[in-house]
Amino acid sequence: MLAYKVVNGEISRVIIAGGIHGNELIGVYLVKTFEKYGNLIERETFETICLLGNTPAINAGRRYVDKDLNRCFTKDILFNANTSIYEESRAKEIWQLLQPHHPQKLDAIIDIHTTTANMGLCMIINSMHPILLTLIAHLTSISPLIKVCFHPETPSGGFLRSLSELGFTLEVGPVPQGVLNAQLFQQTAKIVYAILDFFENYNQGKICINQKSNEKKLKVYEFIGTIDYPRNELGQLQGMIHPQLEYKDYQPLNFGEPIFLTFDNQEVFYQGESTVYPVFINEAAYYEKGIAMHLTQKKLVDI
């Protein structure tokens, strides 16, 4: 787990990103709304920047054109001068835009995504930065429905949120690809406003960031691995999520419980020794990535 010193610097910019995946419309239209009605996101002590990630994919109604943009923010790509892939070029453009322009100040990234999985309102973080933990504790006190996933960044990750210590993903669902959901749209907008208000109060010295306090605990689902669907030697699907597991994100999965049902009606059972908590169960975009679900372990983190 990463450790950070208490940060006293001001937050100078907050980036609100949508459309990093072109068919995730809540983020796309929230950003377009914020661009049109800038007063909704304006705060006195920092600049708010709206970012539409992948315009060609948005126009085409697709997740991406050539390559998943949200896997392109790696050193190998960002420092590669030669590329013919649109998303790799776009990642470098976004990286240049988000370069810290004041070393003593902080930038934050709010990257809005949707999922076909039953993830509800979820914040995905790369680090246990004290400002992030305090922010999350504040948000969960406002909306207890918010879940928190901790996904430590790896060199091959390449997520947009990894470009800032205060970067995170707002993942909301379930909602089909290419579809808007009014309730989730409104809930996500309220979370964004609460985040901006928190950063404003932090800059004004109204929020104290403690490095550690044993008085408060935060429930976190930490990513520990993935499971693929049953496939044959050609990589073709041989089964699907078991009906008993469908839509059961964040619920405990124990040894011997069913996870898949094959097309010839055979059950496949979980063989792990410890209890895990699956998330992103049956996410449509992950079929091509060989992921049927992410496995997490549930833990309590000191704030």
Side-chain angles (χ1 to χ4, degrees):
M1 189 175 296
L2 300 177
Y4 290 88
K5 295 180 180 179
V6 176
V7 178
N8 296 316
E10 270 193 11
I11 295 167
S12 59
R13 296 188 303 178
V14 177
I15 293 86
I16 304 175
I20 294 295
H21 294 140
N23 57 3
E24 297 179 4
L25 297 190
I26 287 178
V28 171
Y29 283 96
L30 274 176
V31 167
K32 288 185 176 183
T33 299
F34 296 152
E35 288 178 331
K36 185 175 182 180
Y37 303 102
N39 60 298
L40 295 173
I41 57 172
E42 288 178 356
R43 301 295 185 272
E44 292 183 1
T45 64
F46 57 81
E47 178 186 10
T48 308
I49 298 173
C50 289
L51 173 67
L52 272 181
N54 195 335
T55 302
I58 293 169
N59 293 338
R62 296 166 53 185
R63 183 175 175 86
Y64 55 82
V65 177
D66 299 313
K67 185 177 182 179
D68 192 335
L69 177 58
N70 208 32
R71 303 298 185 273
C72 289
F73 298 96
T74 65
K75 290 183 179 180
D76 289 344
I77 292 175
L78 298 179
F79 292 97
N80 180 9
N82 301 312
T83 180
S84 59
I85 297 175
Y86 170 75
E87 276 82 7
E88 292 184 355
S89 298
R90 179 58 175 153
K92 289 191 284 188
E93 292 175 357
I94 293 173
W95 178 58
Q96 290 297 325
L97 171 68
L98 302 189
Q99 286 295 293
H101 61 296
H102 195 305
Q104 273 68 52
K105 295 190 176 183
L106 301 168
D107 292 338
I109 299 173
I110 306 170
D111 187 18
I112 303 171
H113 288 259
T114 59
T115 173
T116 62
N118 190 27
M119 293 290 286
L121 304 173
C122 178
M123 288 185 65
I124 305 176
I125 59 176
N126 286 347
S127 74
M128 295 292 182
H129 195 292
I131 292 179
L132 281 183
L133 294 182
T134 308
L135 166 63
I136 293 168
H138 171 69
L139 294 177
T140 54
S141 69
I142 297 174
S143 177
L145 295 177
I146 295 175
K147 302 288 196 303
V148 183
C149 288
F150 174 49
H151 194 313
E153 182 68 13
T154 63
S156 61
F159 300 106
L160 172 64
R161 63 178 181 263
S162 68
L163 298 184
S164 169
E165 285 187 339
L166 299 185
F168 55 91
T169 299
L170 283 183
E171 191 80 58
V172 298
V175 58
Q177 296 175 341
V179 171
L180 281 164
N181 178 293
Q183 183 179 26
L184 287 175
F185 184 96
Q186 292 176 323
Q187 290 175 339
T188 306
K190 289 180 180 179
I191 293 173
V192 171
Y193 302 146
I195 292 168
L196 298 178
D197 290 341
F198 174 91
F199 288 148
E200 178 77 355
N201 288 331
Y202 169 76
N203 279 353
Q204 294 177 353
K206 298 177 181 178
I207 294 175
C208 179
I209 307 296
N210 294 318
Q211 190 164 9
K212 185 175 181 180
S213 170
N214 291 321
E215 296 179 0
K216 294 183 180 180
K217 302 283 187 179
L218 181 68
K219 184 192 300 180
V220 172
Y221 296 86
E222 181 175 359
F223 287 69
I224 57 175
T226 63
I227 296 179
D228 193 8
Y229 298 90
R231 298 179 188 267
N232 63 17
E233 62 277 3
L234 299 177
Q236 298 167 334
L237 285 176
Q238 299 298 296
M240 49 203 154
I241 298 293
H242 196 283
Q244 291 184 29
L245 184 60
E246 192 75 77
Y247 306 120
K248 297 294 180 59
D249 298 76
Y250 310 109
Q251 300 301 309
L253 176 65
N254 301 298
F255 175 85
E257 294 182 340
I259 54 176
F260 299 116
L261 185 67
T262 65
F263 299 137
D264 58 356
N265 210 37
Q266 299 298 308
E267 293 181 315
V268 178
F269 301 96
Y270 175 62
Q271 298 298 308
E273 295 181 359
S274 61
T275 298
V276 293
Y277 298 80
V279 296
F280 285 110
I281 299 172
N282 210 18
E283 160 58 44
Y286 288 173
Y287 276 74
E288 69 178 28
K289 300 181 186 298
I291 298 174
M293 68 195 78
H294 284 267
L295 301 182
T296 73
Q297 57 186 0
K298 186 167 64 172
K299 57 171 54 177
L300 294 177
V301 176
D302 292 325
I303 301 176

